[in-house]
Amino acid sequence: MGKVKTQGAKNAALPVMAAALLLRGQRLTLDRVPDLQDIHTMADLLRHLGATIDFANGRMTIDVPDELKWETPADLVRKMRASSLVLGPLIARCGRAILPLPGGCAIGSRPIDFHLKALARMGAEIDLEQGSVHAKTSGLRSARIYFDFPSVGATENILMAAALVPGETVIENAAREPEIVNLSETLRAMGAQIEGEGTGTIHIKGCRDLKSASVTIIPDRIEASTYLLAGVMTRGNVEVTDIAPEYLEALTFKLDEAGIPTTVSPNSVSVACKGINWKGVTLKTLPYPGFPTDLQPQIMATLCIAEGTSVIHESVFDSRYMHVGEFKRMGSKIDIQGNTVVITGVPLLTGAEVHASDLRAGAALILMGLAAEGESVVCSLKHVWRGYEDLTGKLLALGADIELLADEKEEA
Ligand code: EPZ
């Protein structure tokens, strides 16, 4: 049985780091922060705005001065969509913000209209000039916010902005991800009153002077799931530890439906798949607690070698199938029909040279390479280093036959 310890969640650490901007002459301390490129990009952005950051061995301290800059640099913002998470804190704290509109990426157009409409409803004046958001306010006010779609980032931006606003802000149709709960715990520790996080309705009573706080980042459910599926696809034995099993229920229930048994303990989940074959299933990606879109490429890889046919419907992003072409180069039988794919399982994949189009597609291609006959070369791993800490080291420790080529070295 190979064991792998789950890293802190990238998508929890990024908004929690942005929340530090709400402080004035105070410090936010974070534990279990993963050492990833996106984390360093966010740290560079916060430093640009005036924060002092120390980060070593999973512990990060963010010291925030009385005065902050509120204009964000295009080179950093365009590197990472999550840069938009500084918008709410900056407007609430400085009354101003300039943010270049984050570009689209390989998984879709990724607008921030929900964020902007909600901030406007709280009293921000929003203008778009030369591809940047120019926002200003004489003071945000509490409001009732309704999201057309339970957007993770928009929920986070409004949570953070409302944490500085006296009066009660209510978010309806809020995102329910565990990362939202982690951010809410952080804001509560800083002095905001928050109720309902993890449900579709969140109540926030903010206060003008939030205070220093410490928070531990939750485990990364997508990273943990990726290693579990590596165990499945290679018909090996893998246990992921330091994970809350309830975060993985959408996956473990789907694996059970496919005929893949999982074993759950209070802080670990494991698979033992020697000699196991699995059948095709149907799934739809949905906001939490539905099947996570960030696991769609990885489960697709697993279903490529199922017995029978599978159907996947991607309902969160408008085009998250860039990886299908690369999967076909390895012998997969996949037919794209709009936002649905039909997968006909094949007994064996064949190794090939393939390119990662985004973070999760890259991880899925590595899983495909581990399961395929012959050697595979996965290129453009810079995407993968954004979200997976020491991926090759962890896979080697699990017994994978994998080697990192010089030109793909991880620059965290
Ligand atoms: C977060 O992105 C995650 N990123 C994504 O993970 C994840 O795929 C996504 O949530 C969905 O779970 C971080 O947390 C840093 P959304 P976010 O707002 O907040 C549309 C990864 O691999 N939308 O919930 O950007 C949007 O286009 C990344 O780690 C609008 O139309 O996701 C998408 O179709 C990839 N207008 C859908 O909503 C808006 O204003 C969900 O987006 C905002 C979103």
Side-chain angles (χ1 to χ4, degrees), residues 272-316:
C273 293
K274 188 171 170 46
I276 295 261
N277 289 321
W278 52 94
K279 57 185 195 303
V281 292
T282 294
L283 72 91
K284 183 175 185 181
T285 64
L286 286 166
Y288 193 88
F291 194 93
T293 176
D294 289 349
L295 210 51
Q296 180 253 89
Q298 299 94 311
I299 195 72
M300 186 188 291
T302 307
L303 295 174
C304 283
I305 51 176
E307 287 177 341
T309 301
S310 301
V311 178
I312 296 178
H313 181 81
E314 171 57 59
S315 77
V316 175

Side-chain angles (χ1 to χ4, degrees), residues 220-238:
D220 192 316
R221 58 198 169 95
I222 304 301
E223 187 221 21
S225 301
T226 304
Y227 288 112
L228 276 181
L229 290 176
V232 172
M233 290 186 70
T234 56
R235 291 182 171 80
N237 301 340
V238 170

Side-chain angles (χ1 to χ4, degrees), residues 10-12 14-15 38 81-82 84-85 107-116 149-154 156 175 177 179 221-222 286-288 292-294 315-318 320 358-360:
K10 165 177 86 79
N11 292 349
L14 292 170
D38 276 6
R81 172 183 165 75
S84 56
L85 294 172
I107 59 177
S109 50
R110 309 200 68 186
I112 58 169
D113 51 324
F114 302 159
H115 303 234
L116 301 178
F149 181 90
S151 155
V152 173
E156 290 165 344
E177 274 71 2
E179 293 77 27
R221 58 198 169 95
I222 304 301
L286 286 166
Y288 193 88
T293 176
D294 289 349
S315 77
V316 175
F317 285 103
D318 50 19
R320 190 168 198 165
D358 73 270
L359 160 61
R360 308 301 174 185

Side-chain angles (χ1 to χ4, degrees), residues 81 84-85 88 111-119 145 147 149-161 171 173-175 180 183:
R81 172 183 165 75
S84 56
L85 294 172
I112 58 169
D113 51 324
F114 302 159
H115 303 234
L116 301 178
K117 270 192 286 189
L119 288 164
I145 303 292
F147 284 130
F149 181 90
S151 155
V152 173
T155 301
E156 290 165 344
N157 251 327
I158 298 309
L159 265 173
M160 291 186 279
I171 306 175
N173 200 21
I180 301 285
L183 174 61

